[in-house]
């Protein structure tokens, strides 16, 4: 029996669909009671997990505080900590008390850093370098979970995904899809960066593998589709999946960065022009895992929604 936290989230819905497809038993935990879910209230240091953990063999912990807007650094840290750190450590303690074999923790590539410009791809075992409050909270949660796992009883498998996409994706990826579908020209044809992505179908498969594979115990793994794309390549892939022309204009990236800086959008330029690549060799070799879906397949499924 799997216990899924964050079951109503983007990744949680994809994971539940995959567990259902495979006929694997699971229990979904949510803040309030609803059909098919067990209520646990707010996630934090004092959450009562006893009912949710009864009869559970593995916990898949997806729930997290993700966004904090308009806060100072200290305030942002204080906002993320109760759920992402204290809540995760408390869940691990309660899981150990309940005799749970493994906890799979969905962390973030932000633990590694924000960019791989000027260097090779991130690896699972390199020194962490989080740059924001969210990344720091995920790193501290990882450390807390690994510390508890070292005491025996319940082990932990940690997965750090980059940008996740799939049916129902929102935010910047959804905005990009709308622009491509409408045929709006974009000045990104000359961008030659490298971005790693992970399709929800691949991530769900990796999570299930990490919940069961002996080699996953007390290890950190990076997730990815195994094929890096430039921003231009991603836009072309989306256009092909939609069956529409890719309307890309080649403008030198240096000019794009200068223009973005002039209007106060350097952060947007970093995401569109910079690189963030991951090396999943450890994931492949330690777990014998291969992404079951190609990028092209993932994009086709994503644009169908």
């Amino acid at each position: 029996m799997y216990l899924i936290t964050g079951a109503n989230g983007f990744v949680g819905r994809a994971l539940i669909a995959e567990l259902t497809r495979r006929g694997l038993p699971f229990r979904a935990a949510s803040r309030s009671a609803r059909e098919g879910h067990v209520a646990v209230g707010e996630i934090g240091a004092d959450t009562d997990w006893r009912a949710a953990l009864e009869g559970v063999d593995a916990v898949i912990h997806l729930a997290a505080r993700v966004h904090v807007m308009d806060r100072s650094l200290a305030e942002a840290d204080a906002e993320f900590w109760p759920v992402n750190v204290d809540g995760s450590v408390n869940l691990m303690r309660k899981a150990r008390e309940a005799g749970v074999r493994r906890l799979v923790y969905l962390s973030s590539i932000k633990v590694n850093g924000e960019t791989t410009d000027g260097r090779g791809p991130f690896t699972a075992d390199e020194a962490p370098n989080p740059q924001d409050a969210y990344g720091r909270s995920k790193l501290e949660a990882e450390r807390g979970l690994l510390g508890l796992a070292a005491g025996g009883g319940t082990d932990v498998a940690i997965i750090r995904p980059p940008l996740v996409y799939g049916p129902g994706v929102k935010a910047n990826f959804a905005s990009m899809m709308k622009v491509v579908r409408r045929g709006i020209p974009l000045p990104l044809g000359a961008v030659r960066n490298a971005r790693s992505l992970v399709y929800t179908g691949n991530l769900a498969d990796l999570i299930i593998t990490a919940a069961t594979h002996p080699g996953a115990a007390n290890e950190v793994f990076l997730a990815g589709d195994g094929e890096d794309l430039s921003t231009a390549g991603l836009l072309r892939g989306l256009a092909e999946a939609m069956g529409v022309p890719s309307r890309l204009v080649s403008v030198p990236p240096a000019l794009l960065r200068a223009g973005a800086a002039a209007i106060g959008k350097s952060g947007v330029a970093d995401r569109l022009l910079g690189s963030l690549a991951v090396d999943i060799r450890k994931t492949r070799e330690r777990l014998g895992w291969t992404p079951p879906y190609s990028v092209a397949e993932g994009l086709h499924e994503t644009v169908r929604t």
Side-chain angles (χ1 to χ4, degrees):
M1 168 75 75
Y2 296 93
L3 174 67
I4 317 297
T5 75
N8 293 320
F10 179 50
V11 175
R13 292 192 299 271
L15 176 60
I16 284 178
E18 183 61 17
L19 290 169
T20 301
R21 188 185 71 81
R22 299 188 189 191
L24 297 173
F26 64 88
R27 179 182 298 140
S30 60
R31 283 181 291 182
S32 56
R34 62 182 68 188
E35 184 178 357
H37 289 229
V38 58
V40 296
E42 296 290 338
I43 293 178
D46 300 316
T47 305
D48 185 351
W49 291 98
R50 286 174 296 180
L53 289 167
E54 186 175 351
V56 166
D57 180 59
V59 173
I60 299 173
H61 187 33
L62 310 178
R65 181 75 182 269
V66 179
H67 299 294
V68 173
M69 307 301 291
D70 301 322
R71 297 286 194 275
S72 68
L73 289 176
E75 289 172 334
D77 280 329
E79 292 272 359
F80 283 118
W81 224 257
V83 174
N84 294 359
V85 182
D86 299 338
S88 299
V89 169
N90 175 56
L91 174 56
M92 181 70 168
R93 287 197 183 102
K94 299 304 181 184
R96 186 167 61 181
E97 291 172 8
V100 172
R101 175 183 53 81
R102 177 168 296 166
L103 186 146
V104 179
Y105 180 61
L106 192 69
S107 186
S108 170
I109 198 60
K110 282 178 168 287
V111 169
N112 288 73
E114 296 290 334
T115 180
T116 53
D117 285 342
R119 52 154 291 165
F122 287 134
T123 62
D125 296 324
E126 69 179 76
N129 187 30
Q131 298 295 302
D132 64 8
Y134 176 71
R136 288 192 294 273
S137 72
K138 298 300 269 187
L139 172 59
E140 196 61 28
E142 289 185 13
R143 287 171 170 166
L145 297 174
L146 287 167
L148 287 171
T154 300
D155 58 45
V156 63
I158 294 167
I159 298 174
R160 297 177 189 160
L163 176 66
V164 183
Y165 70 99
V169 67
K170 300 186 185 301
N172 293 333
F173 202 98
S175 298
M176 188 180 296
M177 289 169 55
K178 289 179 182 178
V179 170
V180 172
R181 198 181 298 276
R182 292 172 181 172
I184 299 172
L186 293 169
L188 301 168
V191 178
R192 299 290 183 267
N193 58 346
R195 307 288 297 193
S196 295
L197 313 172
V198 62
Y199 172 54
T200 49
N202 287 334
L203 184 55
D205 185 80
L206 176 57
I207 289 169
I208 295 170
T209 300
T212 56
H213 198 289
N218 304 331
E219 293 287 348
V220 175
F221 301 97
L222 303 189
D225 289 336
E227 178 185 346
D228 295 340
L229 298 175
S230 66
T231 300
L234 173 58
L235 291 166
R236 292 188 184 102
L238 286 170
E240 181 179 351
M242 294 174 184
V244 301
S246 59
R247 303 186 185 278
L248 297 177
V249 179
S250 292
V251 176
L255 289 180
L256 294 175
R257 285 191 182 276
I263 60 174
K265 297 292 184 181
S266 293
V268 175
D270 289 341
R271 290 190 291 273
L272 290 173
L273 307 177
S275 293
L276 198 165
V278 305
D279 183 340
I280 64 169
R281 279 181 295 178
K282 177 183 176 181
T283 310
R284 291 180 182 273
E285 294 169 3
R286 183 69 63 91
L287 303 181
W289 182 77
T290 299
Y293 300 95
S294 68
V295 171
E297 290 170 328
L299 293 178
H300 273 87
E301 288 301 311
T302 301
V303 304
R304 286 174 58 188
T305 59

